[in-house]
Amino acid sequence: MLTVSNLSSGYGKLKVLYDLSIDVPEKELTVVVGPNGAGKTTLLCSIMNIANVFSGEILLQDSSIKGIPTHNLAQKGISYVPQMGNVFAELTVMDNLHMAGYMLSKSEAKDKAEQMTEIFPVLKKFIHRLAGTLSGGERRMLAIAMGLMKNPKLMLLDELSTDLAPIIAERVMMEVARMRDELGITILMVEQMAKRALEIGDTAYLLVSGEVKYSGDASALLHEPELCSMYLGIKHSSDKGKEFELSVMDEGSEDN
Amino acid sequence: MAPWLSSGLVYASGLALTAGSVTLLYIVTRTFNFAVASMATIGFYTVYTGVTLFGGLPYQYYPFAFIVGSITGFICYYGLNRPLLRRQAIETTLMMSTLGYDLILLSMIQMYADFLTHTYKIFPRRVTMSLFDFELFGDRAAAFILPVIAIGFLTILHIFLTKTKFGVAMRATIENPILAGASGINSDRVYLVSWIIGGGMAALGGSFMAMAMTGTPVMGMYTIPLMFAGAILGGLGSIYGGILGGLVIGLTEYAGVFLLSQQFGPWVLGYRMGIPLFIMAATLLVFPRGLSGIPLLKIIKNFAEQKRGARA
Ligand SMILES: Nc1ncnc2c1ncn2[C@@H]1O[C@H](COP(=O)(O)OP(=O)(O)O)[C@@H](O)[C@H]1O
Ligand SMILES: [Mg+2]
């Protein structure tokens, strides 16, 4: 579905990603993990033409999308849920959904918004509230719903679970798995909750300092003790009977 | 109505629109538009041209003032602002470019004034527009009509921004351009429309202000500190804040001059512009984020929000 090859990109003249190649197969959940500042967000921004692409190629279903203005990528079926500021805090939930479906016709957008409030009942309850007044978990649900408004072929998700209570984060992860399994959406997901993401993901890339350190089966990465402890803060317990322990890496706070 | 109040209302309605224009363009394009000065003057000259060459009342030429102002905004966007925004110019560059544009517009205004003198033998360099006004309820009609037009304009703007798809998209772009872009909203169009509205508001504001002050080719230049004072007093965060700021600045100038000259004599008139600027500074010392940062407004907003939430 999406192929990124030999991508070098960054901001202004600053280079963040070096000669990076990844492949996102159709109807699969591809996970990108890695320490803070590795360039995970930059990868998604490069695909969306928000960051500066210096060289390399980005193909969506075998046609190049490099250099296409951000606002035209939504029409191509790509839906991007940013890490920060992924809802319009000063608009109502309803207006958020309608803006997310900006390129749909009026009746299409209305039907789709209706559908979203059925999938996420919490949105129906707060449909006329400003998104800024929602709780962290509710906002993340809204962000996902906004992503789905576009009838996407491909979703780019950036750290959806960060800063959520563990139980809510788990719900968000299940929601992501459900989008792949039930809606057949291709997903490229960046995650801080590495262990859980690698469990539900199909393919994984470990990104460190702008370069790919591991690529392959997602759950297999969990069996690479060195990579896991060095870059993901996942420590293998010495006791073989025990499950892996997860220690969350330091992470600066974001929008609440 | 007391004379200071009727003049003050006329003047403040105009200043409110220009301050709203400054705020709108700042929050959408990060550009402090110095050309608001000549855009306002152009609004006045459009109306002046109408009443002197074609007759009638100033009010019937306001739509033309808005349109001519919109055209100056349109040109500023395509000629200057857009190329600079695309090169990710810093705020200072954006601001200085509008100063250059203002000087170009000012020379064109001067040339136009000469043209009117030579061709029609009229003298457009010191104009008292209120002479073209009529009387209503024993007072100048402008004192009633202009606030009503200003409120009407604001109502339309508000409906546009909250009820139309493009208006909501403008607010979305103002708040979060990246998310708006990813949603399929073309920011280029949002910027263009805000320059069209901003240019129109500036020109309309200028044509209002000329009903209370002497219309000259430099009237915009003379009053631009107050237009910016209004925008800053409003907090530069919301268009409504800017409009309110302009209104407060305009009214305090007239009220202040009236009260102080009664106390201390007419020499106060020479310092009239200092009064609203002092009010602005004092307000900002107490409420650093301007009028829209005053908790009172927030309290009202929260209250309304809660009521709305409870109803939903
Ligand atoms: N808008 C930006 N301008 C300049 N540098 C940036 C910007 N965003 C991120 N960076 C830099 O790019 C690098 C990678 O950041 P990012 O892609 O956000 O990492 P991650 O998402 O993996 O935590 C960091 O060194 C960061 O400081
Ligand atoms: Mg990131």
Side-chain angles (χ1 to χ4, degrees), chain B residues 68-294:
Chain B
V68 174
S70 294
I71 294 170
T72 63
F74 181 92
I75 295 170
C76 189
Y77 179 63
Y78 273 114
L80 273 176
N81 200 241
R82 185 169 182 255
L84 289 173
L85 284 172
R86 295 213 154 177
R87 288 184 181 79
Q88 291 168 353
I90 56 169
E91 285 189 20
T92 320
T93 312
L94 293 168
M95 177 169 86
M96 294 320 281
S97 74
T98 66
L99 187 58
Y101 185 56
D102 187 64
L103 293 175
I104 296 172
L105 289 179
L106 181 62
S107 356
M108 286 170 63
I109 291 165
Q110 299 281 16
M111 280 152 66
Y112 181 66
D114 287 340
F115 164 79
L116 287 180
T117 310
H118 285 294
T119 316
Y120 298 102
K121 307 286 174 250
I122 51 179
F123 300 95
R125 289 183 173 278
R126 287 194 66 81
V127 178
T128 310
M129 281 302 284
S130 52
L131 294 177
F132 298 98
D133 201 5
F134 63 99
E135 204 173 282
L136 194 67
F137 309 126
D139 214 320
R140 53 165 75 191
F144 304 99
I145 294 177
L146 297 189
V148 169
I149 298 179
I151 291 167
F153 179 82
L154 270 185
T155 310
I156 293 170
L157 185 66
H158 182 74
I159 291 170
F160 170 68
L161 288 173
T162 52
K163 297 283 187 282
T164 68
K165 189 174 169 186
F166 191 80
V168 178
M170 278 184 80
R171 280 160 60 220
T173 306
I174 291 169
E175 185 192 324
N176 189 337
I178 290 181
L179 186 59
S183 302
I185 298 166
N186 185 349
S187 55
D188 197 34
R189 258 187 240 160
V190 170
Y191 299 156
L192 175 64
V193 170
S194 54
W195 273 100
I196 287 175
I197 297 176
M201 277 172 86
L204 195 59
S207 57
F208 282 20
M209 286 162 76
M211 293 297 272
M213 63 188 287
T214 308
T216 70
V218 292
M219 64 172 276
M221 241 184 174
Y222 177 70
T223 47
I224 191 176
L226 299 180
M227 301 174 188
F228 274 79
I232 292 165
L233 180 63
L236 286 170
S238 89
I239 306 169
Y240 309 116
I243 287 168
L244 186 62
L247 196 67
V248 170
I249 292 283
L251 279 177
T252 49
E253 181 177 336
Y254 275 76
V257 164
F258 172 73
L259 292 173
L260 293 178
S261 62
Q262 273 199 334
Q263 282 291 321
F264 303 107
W267 60 268
V268 173
L269 277 169
Y271 299 91
R272 57 181 306 152
M273 264 196 174
I275 301 165
L277 294 178
F278 175 79
I279 300 278
M280 176 193 79
T283 311
L284 290 179
L285 281 176
V286 186
F287 302 107
R289 299 203 299 129
L291 290 180
S292 45
I294 292 182

Side-chain angles (χ1 to χ4, degrees), chain A residues 48 50 70-71 74 80 82 85-92 95 99-104 125 128-130 133 146 150, chain B residues 88 162 164-166 168-169 171-173 175-187 301 305 308-309 312:
Chain A
M48 291 306 292
I50 295 163
T70 306
H71 64 267
Y80 170 48
N86 44 29
V87 302
F88 298 110
E90 287 165 36
L91 302 187
T92 63
D95 281 344
M99 282 302 112
Y102 190 73
M103 75 288 177
L104 303 177
K125 213 167 92 196
H128 295 299
R129 277 225 335 229
L130 296 186
T133 66
M146 287 168 71
K150 302 174 180 73
Chain B
Q88 291 168 353
T162 52
T164 68
K165 189 174 169 186
F166 191 80
V168 178
R171 280 160 60 220
T173 306
E175 185 192 324
N176 189 337
I178 290 181
L179 186 59
S183 302
I185 298 166
N186 185 349
S187 55
K301 234 165 95 182
E305 207 60 69
R308 223 187 307 167

